[in-house]
Amino acid sequence: MTFSPADVPRMTVDDLKQAARADLAALGYPNPPWIADLQRPDAIEIADVIIVGAGQSGITIAAALKWDGVSNVRVLDSAAPGAEGPWLTFARMEELRTPKTQVGNEFNVVNLSVRRWFETVYGRHAWEELPRIPRKDWKAYLDWYAEVFEIAITNHCEVVDVAPEGDVIAVTTNVRGVVEKSLARAVVLATGYDGAGAWRVPGFVSEGLPPNRFNHTNGPIDFEALKGLRVGVLGHGASAFDNAIKALEAGAASVDLCFRREKLPRTNPHRAIETPGMMTHYPDLSDSTRWNISRFFRSVDQPPPVRSFETAMGLAGFRLRPATPWLAVSEQADAIRVDTPDGILEFDHLLLATGMQIDLAARPELTSIHDKVALWGERYTPEDADKDARLAQLPYLDAFYGFVPKDAADTWLSRVFAFNSSSFISHGPHSTSISGHKHGVPRLVRGVLRRLLLDQEETILPALAAYASPDLPVSDDFEDRVATANSRPASADQSDNRV
């Protein structure tokens, strides 16, 4: 479905930005800064919080922290300006999977919502007809959202380490070849779905073919180069279907989408846990319940989005091949040979929609962290039938997304928060997604505020004693003047303490 901007909009998006800011001000945004300056002999500035990642989670967290009076927040992102998040790169679906009513980053401010933004751009009727939010419109909305909160983003900034430095955290970055170090009291890793590892193709593919014969679907792909080619896709999720569509639209001769399951998933049980109770109090569930919920979702998976499925099935040259796992891959003289239980398939290029491999050591920002944090496999021992080596590699996070150290002496790790796929077991499959922001972001922010408050616990009583912001509009000599007035003889026109 294609929408055009409304011919006579009631307001522009800039008007809406000002209206949203007025609403925020009416609700007390932002709270006054309350964090005492931290002085260092070398006079290096120390941020209250550094957020790594300026996608939908990063900017929402920055906005929430500013609302709560945390004013010195830095947001870093490796992408170019306007390219933050996956929306203009490897996210290739036409629309979001999340229901349009389950977006939760607007803090209950109507003029800050994606609905009001969409109605402003396209008209109210367009929103009513809209099944789900278009991907590119979602990115445009996020950019507008960051403008509302005046969130400054440092782009082209790759974080290459997060490590302790005294009582604070040092974030080492590479900005266009220049290595710098910034300090912060707390760090939030809002690094998305691959924040716990890396996108990798199966070893039997990468070892059996040269790199120019395949792509992972969550990376850059030259679709124009696939024109006229036979393309094989491995996987059955959203990424598999979306990339198959892009390949055929670019002129691929054919696309065969192969997957191991005998049937595509029909239902999406992820929707069943998107309730206020589950999303808000998920960390309060027992370790065994959280572990087995994660195992359940590992086994059932999600179906492809309806629109992606219907689009792909309607395209000439598309073939769906259920119950077709790839057993081996090899390069032949004029084709890529793929061995399956039902025989040989031949392709010219492969697209691997095989997801992420959990590997904390693969993340540069976790260089000083990955071997010091407690893992689920070290904190919880399931029954033999419930074991899962992949899940066991995920970090065991505290109730506020904070890393838990293996060694109690590494207290600095409690200053680093993982609001990304690392939280899959600890906080649930959706806590860092669009539908989870309404419940997950406040939990994270409470953890950050708690850390910042405890940092200045020793200053609380002296600050109370030095507090000098008068509420009562009287002068210092008021009581003396009252006493003088009271000492005078009473008279008919002097019967009270008015001075």
Side-chain angles (χ1 to χ4, degrees), residues 173-193:
T173 59
N174 187 325
V175 182
R176 298 181 183 274
V178 178
V179 176
E180 301 174 342
K181 183 170 66 175
S182 302
L183 302 181
R185 304 180 201 226
V187 174
V188 177
L189 304 177
T191 44
Y193 188 80

Side-chain angles (χ1 to χ4, degrees), residues 445-466:
V445 170
R446 285 198 303 274
V448 174
L449 297 186
R450 173 181 175 275
R451 179 68 268 160
L452 297 177
L453 176 65
L454 293 178
D455 280 350
Q456 56 188 52
E457 183 172 0
E458 294 181 358
T459 70
I460 293 175
L461 287 175
L464 282 174

